[in-house]
Every structure is written in C-alpha cells, then in structure tokens.
C-alpha cells in the first residue's frame, strides 16, 4: 500500500505540477528582475537571487514532472488549488526571509498575506525593507488578485463550489471550454481590465500628491482589494484628495470585474443598474459610511476629533476599505471609541461583490441567505408551497442555496475557532476576534495591537500559523481546504 | 378596509384569547396567594394585589372573548405564540413595578427575563425585593420553562418550525392529537418530571447547606435552565458540594426532558446511551470544562487564584451553566482574564439538548449543520451523488435541514444586529456582544458591567428594549417573531 502512495499523487496531480512549474518559473524571472533592481539601488542582494534560483530550479523540475494535457478531475482540481495556493507563497517568502530580516515564519506570513491579498503585515519596522522588497510585496498582491479572480470566475464557478455556479454568465466572456484555454481566456480579460484600472489609480494617486513609488505600489494593491502599502501609516498622511481617490478605486475594486469590464471596455453601464448585487453593495457601503460619519461627528475624543468634512472622508474611506476587504486606513481606527469600531467589525463580514478580488462572505451570498430565510418563513405558513427564489432575473437553484449555506457555515466556524484559539494564545479577546475575522476575510487590519498602524510581528508563533492557515483557506473559498479533511477525497484520488 | 381590521383579528385569534385568559386567571390566583404571603411577611402589599386584580379582570375578559374549540391554523398559532409570550410577561411585571421599586421598563425586563428563563436581572440592589418578589421571580421561571417545553415539544414540532419536526418521536408521549388535548398531554408529563426533579434539587441544595428559601428558589430555576437566584452572588457563597449539585442538576436540565423522563420514570437509561445529541452534549461539556480547568490552573491572577479542586469545580460549574444557558455563576467570571472568558463566550452559542428548557442554538441543530456541510463537501467531489443524511438512526429530511439553516441564520443575524446596536448605545464592544448573545440564547449573564454579579439596570433604556425583544424572540425560536415582518402572514390572516 505504502509503495503506491507516490505514484497516485504524481499521476493525479500532473496538471498541478505543470501549472506550478510555470508559475514558479515566472516568479523566478520576476525575482531576477527584482534582483537587478536591488543591485541597482544597492539593497540587500541575496534574497531575490536565492528566490530566483529556487523558483527557476524547482519550476523546471515541477514542469517536467507535470503534463499540461492532463485534464484534472474534480478531486484533483480542488486539491491542486489548495496545493498551489500554499506553495506559491512559500517561494515568495524567500526574499523577505533572506533580505528582509524576518524569520521564515514571519516571511511566510507576509507572503501568504500578500498572495491572498490580505495585507496583514508581520513587519514591525518598515525600515527593514528596501524599495525592491516593498515593490515585490505589492506585485505579489496584484498577481494574487488576478490569480484569485481566475480561480473564482473560471474554476470554482465551473466546479460549482461555494455557490460560485451562480456566477456562470455569458457576460464574463468565460465559455464552457476545456481546462487550459478556459484559464487562459479568463486570465487575459482580467489582466486587461486590471492593468488599465491600476494605471488609472497610480496616475490619480500621483496627481493627488502621493510620491511616485508609493502611488504605484498602492495602485497595485488597491484594485485587488489587497491593502499592503509601503507607507507604515497607510493612507493617513496623504492628501484628502488622494484619500477620496482611494475610496473610489477601492469601491471599484470591490464592485467586481464585470462592472470594471463594462465601464471601461463596453462603455455601457446601463445593465449594471439592474444588477441586484451591485445595488445592494452600494447601499451597504452608503449605510455603513453615513452611520459611521454621523457617529464620528457627534462623538469627539482625542483620537477622533474630526470636522464635518473629515468625518465623512474617514467614514467613507475606512468603511469602503473594510467592506471591500482592502484594509487601507486613513486614520488609526484602533484608537477610536469601541462604538465606532463596532461598525467596522460588523462590516468585516460583508465583503464586496462576488466577481471582485474582495474577500469576506460577499454580498451575493448574503442575498442568497436572505432568500433562503425568507422562503422558510413563508414555508412556516404554507408548508406544502413550492417557492422558486430569484435574485434579479436569475432563478436560485437548490444546489446554489445548499452550497452557500455550507460555505457560510464553514466561514463562521473558522472565524469562531480562530477567534477562540488566538484569544487564548494572546489573552486578548478583541485582538483574537478581529485577527481571526480579518484573516478568513482576507482583510488585513484588526483592532488593538494588530490595528491598521500596528503589526502582527509580536504575536505568538502559533497564532501566526493559525492566521496563515486562515488566510490560505479563506482565499480559496474554504471548500478545497476542508475537503482535505474528508476521507472521500483521498479515496477518490487513490481509486 | 379599516373597519374590517378588528373583526379578523378577533375572529382568528379566538383560541389565543381563550388560552391567554386562562393563563391570566391562573396568574391572578397565584398572585393572590403571593399577596397573602407578602401580607404575612409584612412586605409591600400593593404589587401582587394590583397584579391579581389585573390578571383576574383581564383574564375573565380574554376568556370570554376567546373560544377553546376554535382550532387555530398555522398563521394563527404562530401569531398567538408571539402574542402570548409578550402579554404574559407584561402582566407578570406589575409586582416588580409597584412593589419592587422598578420603573415599568425595568420591571418588564425582569419579567421577560423571568418567563423566557433568561435570568438577566435589572435589579441593582437586591434589598429592593422581599421574599415574596424573589419567590415570584423564581416561580415565573419555573412556569416559563414548562411553557417553553410545551411550546417546543408539542407545538413547534407539529408546526414543523425551526427544525423542531426532527423532535417528533413517540418517546415524548406526545401523539398526533388535536390541539387542546395535545397541549394538555405534553404539559402534564412535563409538569410531572419537572416537579420531581425540582424537589430533588431543592433537597440536595438544602442538605449541602443552602438556606431553605434560597434552596427552593434555586431549585425552581435550575431545571428550566433559568438562572435567577435570590442571592446577589448567585452560587458563589455556597459550599463546594452545593456547587457540584448545581452542576449536576444544570446538566440534567440541559440534557432534556426525554432523559429526565427515562431516568426517573422508566428507570431504563440504556436507549439514552445511543442518543447522538446526548452524547455530543456530554462531550462538549467535558471538552469545554476540562479546557477551562486547565487554563484556570495554569494562569493565576488575583481574581482567579484557584487550587486544583477549585479550578475543576469552577470550570465545570460555569461551563455547564453557560452551555445549558442556565446562567448561574460560582465565581465572578467577568473578572477572569480575557482568554478564560473567550471559552465562556464561545460556549454561549451551543445550548443544551433540543428537548430541554435550554436556550441557545442547541446541540442537535449544530449536528444538523455539520451534516449539511459534510454533504456539501462530498458533493463538491461527486456533484450528482444522492446523499441521505442520518443522525443516529434518523434520516434527516430536506425540510429539517432548510429549517435549521434558516433558524441559525436568523439567530446569528439577531445576535450580530443586537451586538452592533448595543455596542453603539453603550460604547462598549464586549458588553454589546455578550449582552446580545446572552439575550437571544436566554442565558443571563454577559461580561463587564452585565457580568454574573452585575446588573442590566444601568443600561440605556433603548438597550433594554432591544434586549427584551431579543429574549422574547429567542425564546419562541425566532420564526414566530420574524414572521410578523412578512406581508404573507397578514395576508393569510386577513383572507
Ligand atoms: K485585504
Ligand atoms: K438562563
């Protein structure tokens, strides 16, 4: 039995190995470029070189092990997703470890936080990193965002996982093609939209007075709702205009790929006005922002003594940042009064639209759950009634509803379990709850020590391991990770 | 249109009026008895007299309006449940208001907390109440517990609400009878079991050194997982033996009516060993208690400097108290370190077995959700598979799963909404979260100011209104309350 273990894993994951090989090779090439940059800037030379060597070497080996024509089955595809989203950050951590002065665990935390577009940092002292490391940190978020969208729009939807089947629509340009071309089509259109919007954001930030390097880095991490900034104070020290631009581009990022595509390529926004998810998303952002603004305007303390205009700006910026799961901050909301923080903690569970790089539960899943509850209420009156649920013009299938219910249950369970464990490890309940919620939602900042101007560096190693696990599981929408715990997966892979 | 409003409400709710009339008359008689007691003890005379007059007067009137033979439909039954569980506490509050020196809002809070077996007190100074008021407070919890079990076992199960249809089993002695006899059968067997166990608890407490009056009052509030104690320090000042007895009877109370019935009337506990819910319930209590004990033994602070024996006793007592949603305390856990509190906050979401007086989500619903999630994980591998789920020997129907999913969603939504609002009103996040969670789960104590030795007296009036709403909605298992928000209910009642 034991002798067969290697063959079936090798046999079944041939596509994954090939794909991982290609990604590792690409990462190797990018790190070679960053090596050149760091030599040019006279920054620490060994980190990117080691990463490049590892990437190119392992990449070539994995590519040779793999087979691009091996169409993976469902079990293989789901296992591959989990594996790739763990091994890519493992390689990406090398420069942080060797050149950034971080222990490997912290470097992996930073890298996982990067590729999952979480944006939680284990960096306590920002002077440890040079330009090249900050640029790498931003780049990994940008590519992580593109990768996630390919995963969510092309892969999870076709695998009918986590309710993503709801998202199969002609408008995304993703047809029912075989595996590799499907990935390629999706990736290309996403890259196109992301590139244009990122450029626009960079220019806007720069015009609004953000230094050029920071404008580029922040633009790379705005659209994928990612949130790393090379500035230790995030958006706090930028001009009000730059902060409003941040709010705008975060909102666009959370509104999702279809909106972005329609707005900038078809120039016809009319169908969007009918989009239920987009309307509810906008409404949620408005309600939370206006509530917070009203609260900030009426409750002045030393840490939040805002004028009318400031209150609105900070409310819209930070609410949009949390709801879209970007994680920037225009003020250190960890110093606000508990009531103002309560609004932000609640916002952590929303997430953007399903076709965006945002983490969290996401608006459409909340709408599906609302529909399920409404139907059960009506069924308690009319138990025999057959009730078809709709979202906008779409009929909700039973499979979507069941998937969404299971997804949200796993989501809440993972947040609660993490909150309990981290609270125990850190002896801080608010830190435990917010660190856990932000990690599963790929948000970034928590409250207390891990607030937007704080760092995860000081946490217990075991807390960091839990958070790395949560960021990873949250980003690939939980199902591929929890599947690893079922005997059925391993049985299917073996036989 | 407007002119018809009165007739259809009168017409449809004739059974509710009759039932409410009978209950009000009974409450009037009980209050007459308590009036005699308070005269005998020379305590404030007007509260019970006013309550008795109101109860007898209104009771006679409602009884005359109603009709015992009018079999209510589903809509009428659900609306009646909501109405009765609001109007009974409204009457029960009168003695607290007139003789207890409380504003009516606080008196209603205390009374709602009583009848819903929550046990959260708005009493800041326990010397405000005489013996007769404390006895009334305990009695209302005992009858509230019996009332809830009749509701849950006989009514909600037959209405197939909140997944209760799972609970229809021959062993409860509740057959598919018409309305009134069904209620009577259920109520009689529940009363019988409760009476015996309450007597046993009172004797055990008294033997263990609890003063006779407190032993009786505490026994009345132990079995229904209710938690009011006439002692402002709850179980803190009792002997270790009394605390262990408390743990035992709380555990029995949370294990549910069927266990209690089997153990004490059929004397054959063997089928219980096969009961999945009971086994998981026991396991959860053990895991949480031992974890907390281990934590208390290894983390000494001024407020929790326990010996080995103390740590186990306090861990088992307080975990059992929170999981069964009783709400007693053997120590002021609001002073414990956050990590120890995190265990208790997590335990708030469990609840006892479905056939008990416990609040919370309840073990069997958590098991159903686990089964749903497991099935979806397998479905992500085998999308076409038809998977039948079982709990023990029972097959889980789709209707049960949908009901449970909707129930838990409403539960979590109500906790989150309450936590946000109360956090905003009180500017305290931990207080808001725990006050909200305890209210929906009918638990009693929260943390901070509303900890087990604290009081809800100091909260904002609006916070009290929210908590009264949550206790009410939580106790009648949410569906009847949220149904009030659907136009379908009012349409069905009208036509
Ligand atoms: K983020
Ligand atoms: K209670």
């Amino acid at each position: 039995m034991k002798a067969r273990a290697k063959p079936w894993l090798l046999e079944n994951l041939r596509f994954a190995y090939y794909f991982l090989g290609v990604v590792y090779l690409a990462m190797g090439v990018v790190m070679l470029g960053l090596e050149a940059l760091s030599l040019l800037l006279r920054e620490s030379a060994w980190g990117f070189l080691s990463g490049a060597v590892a990437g190119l070497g392992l990449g070539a080996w994995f590519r040779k092990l793999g087979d691009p024509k091996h169409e993976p089955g469902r079990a293989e595809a789901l296992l591959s997703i989990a594996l790739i989203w763990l091994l890519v950050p493992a390689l990406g951590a090398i420069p942080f470890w060797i050149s950034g002065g971080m222990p490997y665990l912290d470097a992996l935390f930073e890298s996982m936080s990067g590729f999952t577009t979480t944006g939680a940092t284990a960096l306590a002292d920002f002077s440890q990193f040079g330009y090249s490391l900050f640029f790498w940190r931003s780049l990994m978020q940008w590519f992580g965002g593109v990768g996630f969208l390919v995963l969510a729009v092309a892969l999870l939807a076709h695998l009918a996982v986590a309710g993503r089947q709801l998202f199969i629509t002609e408008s995304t340009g993703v047809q029912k093609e075989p595996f590799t071309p499907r990935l390629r089509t999706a990736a290309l259109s996403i890259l196109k939209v992301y590139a244009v919007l990122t450029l626009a954001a960079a220019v806007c930030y720069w015009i609004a007075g953000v230094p050029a390097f920071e404008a580029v880095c922040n633009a790379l991490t705005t659209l994928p709702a990612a949130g790393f900034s090379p500035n230790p104070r995030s958006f706090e020290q930028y001009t009000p205009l730059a902060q409003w631009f941040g709010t705008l581009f975060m909102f666009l990022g959370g509104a999702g790929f279809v909106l972005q595509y329609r707005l900038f390529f078809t120039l016809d926004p009319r169908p969007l006005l009918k989009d239920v998810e987009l309307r509810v998303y906008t409404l949620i952002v408005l309600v939370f922002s206006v509530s917070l603004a009203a609260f900030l305007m009426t409750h002045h303390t030393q840490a939040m003594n805002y004028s009318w205009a400031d209150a609105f700006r900070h409310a819209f910026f930070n609410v949009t940042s949390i709801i879209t799961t970007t994680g920037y901050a225009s003020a250190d909301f960890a110093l606000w009064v508990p009531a103002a923080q309560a609004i932000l903690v609640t916002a952590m569970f929303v997430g953007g639209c399903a076709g965006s790089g945002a983490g969290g539960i996401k608006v459409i899943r909340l709408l599906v759950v609302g529909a399920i509850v409404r139907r059960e209420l009506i069924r308690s009156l009319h138990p025999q009634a057959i009730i078809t649920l709709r979202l906008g013009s779409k009929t909700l299938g039973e499979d979507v509803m069941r998937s969404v219910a299971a997804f949200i249950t796993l989501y809440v369970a993972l947040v609660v379990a993490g909150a309990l464990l981290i609270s125990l490890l850190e002896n801080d309940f608010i830190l435990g709850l917010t660190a856990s919620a932000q990690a599963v939602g790929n948000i970034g900042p928590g409250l207390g020590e891990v607030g937007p101007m704080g760092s995860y560096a000081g946490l217990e190693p075991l807390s960091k391991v839990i958070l790395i696990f949560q960021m990873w599981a949250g980003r690939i929408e939980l199902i591929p990770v929890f599947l690893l715990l079922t005997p059925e997966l391993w049985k299917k892979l073996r036989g």
Side-chain angles (χ1 to χ4, degrees), chain A:
Chain A
M1 281 295 123
K2 237 180 178 175
R4 284 191 59 206
K6 203 177 155 205
W8 63 257
L9 259 182
L10 259 184
E11 190 57 34
N12 286 317
L13 298 182
R14 273 186 297 166
F15 184 82
Y17 290 130
Y18 176 79
F19 188 83
L20 185 64
V22 173
V23 173
Y24 265 31
L25 286 171
M27 287 169 74
V29 172
V30 171
M31 285 199 261
L32 271 188
L34 289 167
E35 175 64 26
L37 182 72
S38 65
L39 287 175
L40 202 77
L41 297 170
R42 297 171 190 274
E43 294 176 351
S44 165
W46 293 104
F48 287 112
L49 191 61
S50 319
V53 169
L56 295 173
L58 288 170
W61 185 58
F62 277 132
R63 192 164 175 275
K64 224 181 122 190
L65 266 183
D67 175 2
K69 288 189 191 70
H70 183 263
E71 177 92 353
R74 302 178 64 84
E76 295 81 22
L78 290 164
L79 179 61
S80 304
I81 291 165
L83 199 68
I84 289 168
W85 227 283
L86 193 61
L87 292 179
V88 166
L91 176 68
I94 292 176
F96 298 143
W97 175 38
I98 293 182
S99 288
M102 281 179 158
Y104 185 76
L105 181 64
D106 287 23
L108 180 63
F109 183 98
E110 198 76 7
S111 178
M112 183 59 87
S113 174
F115 281 104
T116 58
T117 73
T118 304
T121 188
L123 196 60
D125 175 6
F126 272 52
S127 70
Q128 276 172 242
F129 276 18
Y131 286 100
S132 53
L133 283 176
F134 279 123
F135 193 55
W136 174 229
R137 219 168 66 123
S138 303
L139 270 185
M140 59 172 54
Q141 293 211 312
W142 199 81
F143 284 110
V146 171
F148 169 70
L149 271 182
V150 173
L151 172 74
V153 173
L155 256 164
L156 294 181
H158 284 267
L159 291 170
V161 160
R164 282 273 169 198
Q165 53 269 50
L166 190 67
F167 197 62
I168 298 183
T169 152
E170 326 71 66
S171 58
T172 57
V174 182
Q175 308 300 329
K176 290 207 171 187
E177 295 167 298
F179 206 72
T180 323
R182 188 200 307 155
L183 287 182
R184 197 173 293 136
T185 317
L188 283 178
S189 38
I190 290 163
L191 275 170
K192 201 166 65 174
V193 175
Y194 259 51
V196 170
L197 277 171
T198 303
L199 192 67
V203 171
C204 287
Y205 291 159
W206 181 69
I207 288 175
V210 179
F213 176 71
E214 295 185 17
V216 170
C217 285
N218 286 329
L220 285 169
T221 62
T222 304
L223 271 300
F228 270 148
S229 173
N231 190 316
R233 305 298 299 178
S234 192
F235 269 54
E236 191 186 43
Q237 294 162 334
Y238 299 154
T239 60
L241 181 62
Q243 293 179 356
W244 278 114
F245 274 133
T247 305
L248 172 69
F249 282 102
M250 287 193 287
F251 181 81
L252 280 178
F257 169 64
V258 179
L259 169 84
Q260 299 159 9
Y261 193 88
R262 281 253 167 78
L263 264 179
F264 293 88
F265 288 86
T266 69
L267 295 173
D268 176 15
R270 276 172 306 169
L272 291 173
L273 300 176
K274 289 191 212 148
D275 189 282
V276 183
E277 187 182 23
L278 191 60
R279 276 157 54 182
V280 175
Y281 164 69
T282 310
L283 186 70
I284 292 174
V285 170
L286 284 175
V287 168
F288 273 79
S289 300
V290 171
S291 311
L292 180 57
F295 192 88
L296 292 176
M297 277 160 59
T298 47
H299 292 72
H300 293 278
T301 67
Q302 210 184 343
M304 39 181 253
N305 191 13
Y306 303 125
S307 70
W308 189 91
D310 285 353
F312 263 82
R313 180 162 42 84
H314 289 308
F316 269 86
F317 188 97
N318 295 295
V319 161
T320 308
S321 171
I322 295 292
I323 284 186
T324 62
T325 76
T326 308
Y328 291 143
S330 67
D332 190 355
F333 54 70
L335 301 177
W336 288 355
V337 296
Q341 295 179 342
I343 295 178
L344 294 178
V345 172
T346 311
M348 283 191 165
F349 289 87
V350 178
C353 297
S356 74
I361 290 173
K362 300 200 182 63
V363 174
I364 202 154
R365 293 208 184 90
L366 296 174
L367 288 173
V368 169
V369 165
I372 295 176
V373 169
R374 201 175 136 60
R375 182 170 68 169
E376 284 313 300
L377 285 174
I378 298 173
R379 270 219 180 97
S380 73
L381 287 179
H382 307 273
Q384 307 304 331
I386 291 163
I387 305 161
T388 309
L389 293 178
R390 297 179 159 284
L391 266 187
S393 58
K394 275 198 168 179
T395 306
L396 283 181
E398 293 292 327
D399 60 331
V400 170
M401 289 190 268
R402 277 193 303 245
S403 295
V404 169
F407 172 83
I408 294 187
T409 305
L410 286 175
Y411 192 100
V412 173
L414 187 57
V415 171
V416 170
L420 177 61
L421 291 173
I422 300 171
S423 294
L424 286 173
L425 286 162
E426 308 293 336
N427 199 18
D428 186 331
F429 186 71
I430 295 278
L431 187 153
L433 177 64
T434 56
S436 174
Q438 71 74 20
V440 180
N442 300 120
I443 298 170
L447 292 175
E449 181 189 341
V450 299
M453 311 305 171
S455 161
Y456 290 78
L459 300 195
E460 298 290 327
L462 192 51
S463 298
K464 288 177 191 163
V465 171
I466 294 167
L467 291 169
I468 289 171
F469 176 84
Q470 289 182 307
M471 292 190 273
W472 171 58
R475 181 74 313 189
I476 56 181
E477 307 226 299
L478 305 175
I479 306 293
V481 170
F482 281 94
L483 207 53
L484 297 175
L485 305 175
T486 63
E488 282 80 3
L489 175 76
W490 303 103
K491 210 157 63 187
K492 185 153 185 187
L493 283 174
R494 254 203 209 86

